[in-house]
Structures are given as structure tokens and as C-alpha cells.
């Protein structure tokens, strides 16, 4: 069983690395005190981090109250898992880790790494978050890496459609053609190739020559509104879309849909039989024009997606809403400055 002092030593060492401080500045007697006092001592020595916000202190208190015994800490981890189901990190926009993330990671690491695999499977958001922290922070020598099985998209191989998952013939057919027909790099396309932005629909109207289509003028912070054609006429009226926040891909190649120019793709969630379709909804605090981010995924979007490379078609199978309706790429939330993008349709496909 871990002791308070050993836990605090890990927290102090991790925070000092995060803040680029010499660990020797920490008074030895503070390692046996509460986490809040320890945090105050470290903050006092840091020239670039002076404020102790209420939000950080909330997570300092969580770390302090976290049980040190395996028998009693799983409920606390489930609470943290629920909290992380709608955010990529504890504080901030996910582009860098916060002091709160470092403190809580340090406090719970030994408990998480010692969990049984069945219990780890019950904490997908905690594991995803911890994997992000351990890759963003230099914790070499402090913490053992926690392995995380990340989902991979395997495109279907010709000739296997309709075969049951356990069919031996199906397994044989998939193994060899997959090496020849599906280049390895195709499975590695990142969502960062897409320029997904928050937009506000200023105007919407029915397409003049297609009953299933609507035309929207969307503000994404550019000098002029961006015109987009969407297949939403069956599901939304122009009035319902007007003044609505949406997320859209703005680096698709512009083209005409039934003689009307379209300069983007509004991302929508759909249930299995497509009887219900709705645009993803950014939170009210999201800023018009901001780019949606994904925790742990960096990269520059393409200037314009190349239709011949089918980049969009290879990425969208990994876009879906989770059981709480949070929009994700491989389980990683679509994040904005105001929080995650969501849908009222849980476990939906996103296109």
C-alpha cells in the first residue's frame, strides 16, 4: 500500500518536471503534509505559475481525498471516468496538460496500473486520458507506462462482405489481400488532416432543384459567409438551422451539388437506419471559426482534401458518438474552447 509521503513525492516530482523546477526546492517536511499545502509550496517557487484557481484546487482536493487502497478507490475512478467522458483533459483545451492533470495523474497512477483488465475496461475515458498525459509529459523514471489498446480501423477486403465474423474462410481471405490491397499508411490517416471548424448558420433555404437538400450560409470567421449544401431537408427546416452552431469540414474540395456551389461539409450524427439525422452541436462557449481539437493528436490539416485519395472516406468510419452522445474520433472527443461537441443521438455514426 502506498503511503501519503510516497504519493506526495510523486506528485511533487511530476509537478516540478511540468513546471521546469528543481525538485530540491521542495521542503522535505512538506512531503508528509496534505496535497494542497504541497501544491502551494511548489507554486510559490514557480515564477511562471502564480495563480491558484478554484478549478485547480478542486482537483487538488480530489487527489488529496483519493483512497490509497485498491479496495476503496474504484468508485472514485468511476467518478473521474464520468467527468472525462465529456472532456479531453481536466482543465484547458487539450493542447497542453494542466497542473490539475499532472496532480491527478500522479495521485491515481499506482491504483490504475494495478487494476485488473476487466476493471480497466470499465474506465475507457480515464485510460484514454492517462495515455495522453504520459505521452505529453516527460515522466521518464517516475511512472511506469500504462499500456492502452487503441482501436484501429480495418477497411473491408473485397470478397468478405456478408461473411460471419468467426467464418474460417473469411479469415483466410482477409489475411493475404489485406497486405496487398490495403497499404499500411491507409490505416494511419489522422483526423488532423481534416480542418473541422465551429460555424454559425446565418441563413438557410431549400435547394432550388433538389427536395432533399438545403443550402446554408455559414459564418466561420472569414471575410464572407461560406455556402454549404447539405442533405438535411428531410430532417431539419431552414428555420431550425438558422442561428444554430454547427461543426463543418472546411477543407473539402468545393464543388457544385445540383448546380449550387458547396464549400464545406456539415458533420451530422445519424442513427443506424438513418431515420434520425442531426448536425453535431458545439457547446455555447465555442468560438465561431475555432478549429476542433483532439486530445493527443497534433498535425496540420490539408489545404484541400484530395478526392482521389479518398482521405475523408478513410477517416469517417472512425467518427462516432459515444454512449453519452459525445462526438469522437476513435473515442477521443471533438473538443472546443467551450467543451466537447455532442449530439442527442448516442452511439451514432458521424458523416
Amino acid at each position: 500500500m502506498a503511503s501519503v509521503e510516497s504519493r506526495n513525492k510523486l506528485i511533487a516530482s511530476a509537478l516540478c518536471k511540468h513546471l521546469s523546477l528543481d525538485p530540491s526546492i521542495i521542503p522535505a517536511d512538506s512531503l508528509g503534509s496534505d496535497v494542497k499545502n504541497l501544491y502551494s509550496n511548489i507554486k510559490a517557487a514557480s515564477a511562471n505559475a502564480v495563480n491558484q484557481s478554484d478549478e485547480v484546487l478542486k482537483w487538488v482536493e480530489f487527489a488529496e481525498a483519493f483512497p490509497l487502497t485498491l479496495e476503496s478507490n474504484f468508485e472514485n475512478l468511476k467518478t473521474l471516468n464520468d467527468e472525462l467522458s465529456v472532456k479531453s483533459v481536466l482543465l484547458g483545451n487539450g493542447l497542453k496538460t494542466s497542473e490539475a492533470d499532472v496532480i491527478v495523474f500522479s495521485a491515481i497512477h499506482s491504483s490504475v496500473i494495478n487494476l485488473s483488465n476487466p476493471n480497466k475496461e470499465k474506465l475507457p475515458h480515464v485510460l484514454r486520458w492517462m495515455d495522453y498525459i504520459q505521452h505529453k509529459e516527460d515522466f521518464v523514471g517516475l511512472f511506469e507506462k500504462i499500456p492502452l489498446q487503441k482501436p484501429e480501423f480495418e477497411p473491408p477486403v473485397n470478397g468478405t462482405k456478408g461473411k460471419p465474423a468467426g467464418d474460417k474462410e473469411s479469415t483466410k481471405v482477409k489475411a493475404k489481400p489485406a497486405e496487398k490491397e490495403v497499404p499500411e499508411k491507409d490505416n494511419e490517416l489522422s483526423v488532423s488532416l481534416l480542418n473541422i471548424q465551429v460555424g454559425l448558420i446565418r441563413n438557410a433555404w431549400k435547394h432550388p432543384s433538389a427536395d432533399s437538400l438545403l443550402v446554408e450560409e455559414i459564418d466561420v470567421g472569414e471575410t464572407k459567409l461560406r455556402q454549404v449544401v447539405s442533405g438535411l431537408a428531410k430532417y431539419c427546416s431552414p428555420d431550425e438551422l438558422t442561428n444554430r452552431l454547427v461543426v463543418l469540414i472546411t477543407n473539402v474540395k468545393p464543388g457544385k451539388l445540383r448546380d449550387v456551389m458547396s464549400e464545406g461539409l456539415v458533420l451530422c450524427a445519424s442513427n443506424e437506419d438513418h431515420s434520425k439525422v442531426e448536425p453535431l452541436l458545439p457547446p455555447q462557449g465555442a468560438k465561431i471559426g475555432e478549429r476542433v481539437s483532439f486530445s493527443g493528436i497534433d498535425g496540420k490539416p490539408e489545404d484541400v482534401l484530395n478526392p482521389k485519395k479518398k482521405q475523408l472516406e478513410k477517416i469517417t468510419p472512425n467518427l462516432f458518438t459515444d454512449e453519452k452522445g459525445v462526438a469522437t474520433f476513435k473515442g477521443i472527443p471533438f473538443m472546443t474552447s467551450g467543451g466537447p461537441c455532442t449530439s442527442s443521438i448516442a452511439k451514432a455514426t458521424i458523416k
Side-chain angles (χ1 to χ4, degrees):
M1 182 179 73
S3 67
V4 169
E5 187 168 344
S6 62
R7 177 200 64 184
N8 287 0
K9 188 175 181 179
L10 279 174
I11 292 174
S13 299
L15 258 181
C16 285
K17 281 201 170 192
H18 176 73
L19 295 170
S20 300
L21 296 174
D22 183 349
S24 64
I25 64 166
I26 306 164
D29 57 0
S30 68
L31 293 177
S33 63
D34 59 61
V35 178
K36 186 175 180 180
N37 185 51
L38 175 67
Y39 175 60
S40 296
N41 286 333
I42 294 173
K43 290 284 281 185
S46 174
N48 62 351
V50 183
N51 295 324
Q52 295 187 35
S53 71
D54 290 341
E55 288 187 324
V56 174
L57 292 178
K58 163 191 169 182
W59 292 111
V60 168
E61 290 169 3
F62 176 91
E64 175 65 34
F66 192 79
L68 294 175
T69 58
L70 286 176
E71 293 78 13
S72 55
N73 61 23
F74 189 67
E75 288 303 315
N76 297 63
L77 289 173
K78 288 200 294 185
T79 299
L80 181 61
N81 191 69
D82 289 341
E83 181 95 23
L84 286 165
S85 69
V86 293
K87 58 175 70 171
S88 58
V89 288
L90 297 180
L91 290 182
N93 58 14
L95 300 180
K96 63 179 182 178
T97 52
S98 70
E99 294 159 23
D101 291 287
V102 171
I103 291 168
V104 175
F105 177 96
S106 305
I108 73 172
H109 178 274
S110 62
S111 296
V112 172
I113 203 166
N114 288 311
L115 287 175
S116 65
N117 287 332
N119 277 341
K120 285 180 181 176
E121 290 172 3
K122 296 174 184 176
L123 303 168
H125 303 296
V126 168
L127 269 293
R128 179 264 306 159
W129 166 76
M130 295 193 79
D131 185 61
Y132 173 56
I133 302 300
Q134 68 187 5
H135 282 89
K136 291 290 282 188
E137 293 286 328
D138 178 17
F139 285 154
V140 176
L142 284 181
F143 302 103
E144 181 183 345
K145 279 283 179 75
I146 298 176
L148 177 66
Q149 186 65 37
K150 299 180 181 178
E152 294 184 359
F153 167 58
E154 297 183 3
V157 179
N158 292 337
T160 63
K161 186 177 181 181
K163 302 260 183 167
D167 187 83
K168 292 182 180 178
E169 182 183 351
S170 170
T171 304
K172 291 179 181 178
V173 173
K174 286 174 75 176
K176 292 184 179 178
E179 294 177 6
K180 295 179 181 179
E181 298 179 18
V182 184
E184 184 179 351
K185 63 181 181 180
D186 285 355
N187 287 332
E188 299 174 356
L189 289 187
S190 170
V191 71
S192 63
L193 293 176
L194 308 182
N195 196 26
I196 305 175
Q197 293 179 265
V198 175
L200 178 67
I201 298 178
R202 298 290 188 184
N203 304 295
W205 61 91
K206 291 184 178 180
H207 190 289
S209 58
D211 292 339
S212 64
L213 302 178
L214 295 178
V215 186
E216 304 102 29
E217 286 183 334
I218 305 178
D219 184 355
V220 289
E222 299 170 333
T223 53
K224 69 182 187 71
L225 300 180
R226 186 176 285 256
Q227 182 170 282
V228 175
V229 179
S230 305
L232 288 168
K234 179 181 174 182
Y235 309 100
C236 309
S237 70
D239 287 344
E240 289 172 328
L241 289 179
T242 302
N243 294 320
R244 186 192 196 281
L245 285 173
V246 292
V247 289
L248 64 156
I249 301 173
T250 55
N251 62 337
V252 293
K253 187 175 182 180
K256 289 187 176 181
L257 288 175
R258 299 290 291 270
D259 298 322
V260 175
M261 180 58 69
S262 183
E263 305 168 299
L265 176 67
V266 174
L267 287 173
C268 299
S270 169
N271 62 358
E272 191 170 355
D273 63 3
H274 302 292
S275 60
K276 188 176 181 182
V277 176
E278 65 180 31
L280 294 180
L281 184 64
Q284 285 300 318
K287 299 173 183 176
I288 293 173
E290 74 170 286
R291 189 180 176 212
V292 171
S293 64
F294 297 85
S295 176
I297 299 178
D298 302 315
K300 186 177 182 293
E302 296 276 273
D303 291 333
V304 179
L305 296 174
N306 186 341
K308 292 182 180 179
K309 293 182 180 179
K310 298 189 179 297
Q311 294 159 306
L312 189 58
E313 290 87 340
K314 292 168 183 173
I315 294 171
T316 51
N318 294 307
L319 305 181
F320 53 88
T321 62
D322 65 14
E323 66 278 1
K324 293 191 175 183
V326 176
T328 74
F329 167 75
K330 292 186 176 182
I332 302 171
F334 283 52
M335 286 299 296
T336 72
S337 59
C341 301
T342 58
S343 169
S344 67
I345 311 172
K347 297 184 179 179
T349 57
I350 297 175
K351 289 186 178 179

